[in-house]
Amino acid sequence: MRVKGWALALFFFGGGLMSLLALALPTHGAPDPVGGRLLFGVTASVGLGLSLLAWARPQVLLGKRFDELLMVLGNACSLTSTLGETLLFGTQYSVMVLLWPMVLTAGFLRRRLLGWQVAFSSVAVAVLAFTNDRVLMRGEVWPLEALLTAIPVAFTGLAVAFFRSAAVQEAQELARLGRTDPLTGLSNRRVLFDEFAGVVAATLPGQRVALVMLDLDHFKQVNDRYGHQTGDEVLRCFAQTLQTHAQGGDLLVRMGGEEFVWVMAEPDTDAVVRRVEALRAAYAARPESRAVTVSAGVVHCAADVTAAQLSALLGAADAALYRAKEEGRNRTRVDAA
C-alpha cells in the first residue's frame, strides 16, 4: 500500500511539474496559445493537487475505493498535457506520458481496470493523432500513427500487469513457506499463535476446544540407528497420518523436532481421547513408523478461551505429555484446564 502512495505522488507530481515548466517556456507561432495554456493549467492543478493529497493524506487514496477516479484523472492529465503541448508549441514530444496511467493502472490499481485502461489509452492515442493531423496539418495518416503509438502503450501495460501478477504470486508463496513446515507440510509454530483465536471463534455451541501435544517416543534412536533420512520419513509418515484423522476446522502444527500440536473442537474429553487413540493406533500400524510410538497430552477447555491463554494451555498440555512419558510412554494423558 505504501508503494501505491509513492507511485501516485510521483506520477501526478511529475505531470503537474512538467505542466508548470511548460507554462514558463516561451512560445512562438503557437496554433492555439490560450487553449494550450488552459490545458496545461488544468493538468498542473490536478496533478499537483492529487500529489499533495497522496503525500499529506495517504489513507484517502491507498485503498481501492477511488481507483476508478484515479484512473480517469490519470488519463485526463496525460491527455490534457499532450494536447496542451500540441496547441502551445506545435509538438507532441510528451506523448510518452500516455504510458503513466497505463503503468499506474496495471501496476497499482484494481486488476479488473486494466481492460478499461487499454480502451482509454487507445482513445487518447487516437485523439492525439487526429489533433496532430488537423492542427499541425502534416498530412499524415493519423489512424496508422495512432496504431503505431497504441501498440507499445498497450503492451507496456500488459507487461507491467504480468510482472505484478508474478510478484504477487511469489509474495504469496513466500508467505506460505514462512507459515509451513517444509518437511511435513503442516503449519509451523507461528500459525498456531496466529490462528488459534480463529479456531476458537469457529467452535460450535456445545463444543469445547481441545489442545493435544503429541511427541514421538525415542525418536532420537531412529536417527541414530537408521540415519536422518529415515527419521524424516518417520516424521512425514506421522504428519500424513495426523492429516487423515483431522477434521476441517482442526489446526495441525509441527512445533519442532518430533513434537506436534493438534487443536480441535469436541463436546467432551472422551471424544478427544478417542480421536487421539485412533490416530496413535493408525500410526503404529504403518510400516513407515519404524515401530515408533506416540505419547499425547490433552487439555480440554471452555469454548470462551482466549488467544492470550494459549501459552498456559500449551504448558498444561505439555505437563500432561510429560506425565505420559513418566508413566512409560505410548499413552494419552489428560490435564484439566
Side-chain angles (χ1 to χ4, degrees):
M1 298 297 288
R2 185 179 301 177
V3 176
K4 179 183 180 181
W6 276 104
L8 288 172
L10 289 174
F11 277 123
F12 283 106
F13 179 76
L17 180 62
M18 183 181 68
S19 298
L20 283 180
L21 293 175
L23 288 172
L25 292 175
T27 180
H28 302 284
D32 186 354
V34 176
R37 292 184 183 280
L38 177 62
L39 291 174
F40 273 129
V42 171
T43 306
S45 300
V46 175
L48 294 178
L50 279 174
S51 64
L52 289 175
L53 180 62
W55 180 272
R57 301 288 298 275
Q59 68 277 9
V60 176
L61 301 179
L62 291 189
K64 297 181 179 181
R65 179 180 178 185
F66 297 104
D67 279 3
E68 289 82 357
L69 177 62
L70 291 172
M71 180 183 66
V72 172
L73 290 177
N75 282 280
C77 287
S78 65
L79 183 58
T80 54
S81 63
T82 310
L83 284 175
E85 180 194 348
T86 304
L87 299 179
L88 190 58
F89 300 105
T91 61
Q92 285 190 351
Y93 295 118
S94 62
V95 69
M96 69 183 72
V97 301
L98 291 178
L99 289 172
W100 290 5
M102 178 65 76
V103 172
L104 179 66
T105 301
F108 302 98
L109 304 186
R110 296 178 185 174
R111 297 182 185 180
R112 64 180 179 82
L113 296 179
L114 182 58
W116 286 101
Q117 179 56 54
V118 172
F120 282 153
S121 293
S122 300
V123 172
V125 167
V127 169
L128 292 175
F130 180 80
T131 303
N132 183 54
D133 183 54
R134 292 295 183 270
V135 174
L136 304 182
M137 298 180 183
R138 293 180 177 176
E140 298 175 354
V141 182
W142 70 266
L144 180 59
E145 181 183 356
L147 180 63
L148 292 175
T149 306
I151 288 176
V153 171
F155 274 76
T156 297
L158 294 175
V160 171
F162 170 79
F163 286 114
R164 175 189 181 182
S165 178
V168 169
Q169 292 178 4
E170 183 175 351
Q172 291 174 342
E173 179 64 14
L174 288 175
R176 186 190 67 81
L177 292 175
R179 296 167 60 84
T180 304
D181 172 55
L183 177 62
T184 63
L186 301 182
S187 298
N188 60 20
R189 184 184 182 93
R190 176 190 297 179
V191 177
L192 175 62
F193 285 86
D194 288 347
E195 298 187 5
F196 180 75
V199 176
V200 174
T203 303
L204 299 175
Q207 290 186 325
R208 299 162 62 201
V209 178
L211 189 148
V212 184
M213 187 83 73
L214 302 149
D215 187 88
L216 304 189
D217 298 325
H218 300 300
F219 176 74
K220 185 178 181 299
Q221 296 179 6
V222 175
N223 286 330
D224 293 342
R225 182 176 180 181
Y226 300 106
H228 289 280
Q229 183 174 352
T230 300
D232 289 347
E233 293 175 357
V234 169
L235 290 171
R236 281 193 292 264
C237 173
F238 179 74
Q240 292 166 1
T241 309
L242 181 57
Q243 287 173 318
T244 60
H245 283 73
Q247 297 177 356
D250 294 355
L251 181 58
L252 308 178
V253 175
R254 183 188 178 196
M255 297 293 285
E258 65 272 23
E259 194 171 69
F260 299 79
V261 166
W262 184 6
V263 182
M264 67 177 79
E266 287 291 346
D268 56 72
T269 305
D270 290 341
V272 178
V273 173
R274 283 195 296 271
R275 292 182 63 185
V276 174
E277 290 300 299
L279 164 69
R280 295 196 320 105
Y283 178 64
R286 296 187 61 170
E288 306 97 308
S289 70
R290 298 282 178 169
V292 172
T293 58
V294 180
S295 296
V298 176
V299 57
H300 202 199
C301 52
D304 60 353
V305 65
T306 65
Q309 298 172 280
L310 177 56
S311 295
L313 295 176
L314 287 171
D318 191 55
L321 174 64
Y322 183 77
R323 186 153 56 92
K325 294 280 190 179
E326 281 192 322
E327 294 177 3
R329 294 182 171 84
N330 190 25
R331 65 197 65 214
T332 300
R333 289 294 177 260
V334 179
D335 197 344

